[in-house]
Amino acid sequence: MNRRVWGTAALAAAVMALTASCGLAAGIYAADITADKLEGRWTDGGAASLTFHADHTFSSESLGKYPVTSKCGDPEGLTSGTWAFWAPTEPGGTSFTVQETATRGSALSLSFDGRKCSVDVYLYGDDADPGMCPAPDADEGCGLIGYLQRSDEDG
C-alpha cells in the first residue's frame, strides 16, 4: 500500500481508539434488550449492584458511587424502587418518554422509593453481552467508575 492509504488507515484507527477511550463509543453501541434479559442481578464486580424484578421493582447496593445519584440526596438510602424503559412516544418516533408498558429498550429510568428522584441508566454493548451505566447522558458512559454487567449470582 502507498503512504496515503496507510495514513488514512492510521487516522481512522486513531479516531476509533480515541472514541472508545473517551467513552463516546458507548453512545454509538447502545444495546436494545428485552425486559426478561434485564431481570436479574447486575454488578460492577465490586460492591455496587442492581437487581431487577419482573414486577418492575429493583433493589440496589452501593449505587452512590455513581455521580448521577448525588442529585437524589443520601446515597445510602438508594436501596429500592421501580424501573421502566424509555420508549418512543410513537412507533419510529424520535421523542422518548418513560413507559411502564415498554417491553424493551436501550435506556431505563430508576425511581427510588420515598424520594422524588429518578436516575437514568443506559445499556451498552450488544444483546448477547450488554453492560449498563447510571449516567446523566448516554454519551458520558461510566469510564473508570465501572459498568454493571449481568451476574450469574442470585441477588
Side-chain angles (χ1 to χ4, degrees), residues 30 43 95 115:
T43 180
S95 293
R115 301 191 188 206

Side-chain angles (χ1 to χ4, degrees), residues 16 25 31 40 45 58-59 62 72 82 86 89 95 106 114-115 146 154:
M16 287 175 57
F58 73 90
S59 59
S62 301
C72 294
T82 58
W86 281 91
T89 55
S95 293
S106 59
R115 301 191 188 206
D154 291 333

Side-chain angles (χ1 to χ4, degrees), residues 55-152:
D55 66 356
H56 284 255
T57 62
F58 73 90
S59 59
S60 65
E61 296 176 29
S62 301
L63 203 59
K65 82 179 250 181
Y66 293 91
V68 70
T69 62
S70 66
K71 69 181 184 176
C72 294
D74 173 28
E76 297 300 317
L78 303 178
T79 58
S80 63
T82 58
W83 66 268
F85 283 115
W86 281 91
T89 55
E90 58 186 54
T94 57
S95 293
F96 289 78
T97 187
V98 176
Q99 295 183 18
E100 292 179 12
T101 58
T103 59
R104 68 178 312 119
S106 59
L108 53 137
S109 178
L110 306 180
S111 295
F112 296 97
D113 289 340
R115 301 191 188 206
K116 293 184 180 180
C117 182
S118 62
V119 170
D120 292 332
V121 176
Y122 298 95
L123 299 158
Y124 304 104
D126 59 40
D127 191 35
D129 187 26
M132 70 170 56
C133 176
D137 184 287
D139 290 332
E140 190 171 303
C142 277
L144 299 176
I145 298 169
Y147 289 84
L148 297 156
Q149 302 290 323
R150 283 294 311 223
S151 172
D152 292 332

Side-chain angles (χ1 to χ4, degrees), residues 11-71:
L11 178 61
V15 168
M16 287 175 57
L18 285 172
T19 299
S21 68
C22 293
L24 299 177
I28 297 169
Y29 300 108
D32 185 47
I33 67 171
T34 59
D36 64 324
K37 289 214 177 215
L38 179 68
E39 293 167 18
R41 187 167 189 257
W42 296 69
T43 180
D44 69 348
S49 70
L50 283 165
T51 303
F52 297 94
H53 307 283
D55 66 356
H56 284 255
T57 62
F58 73 90
S59 59
S60 65
E61 296 176 29
S62 301
L63 203 59
K65 82 179 250 181
Y66 293 91
V68 70
T69 62
S70 66
K71 69 181 184 176

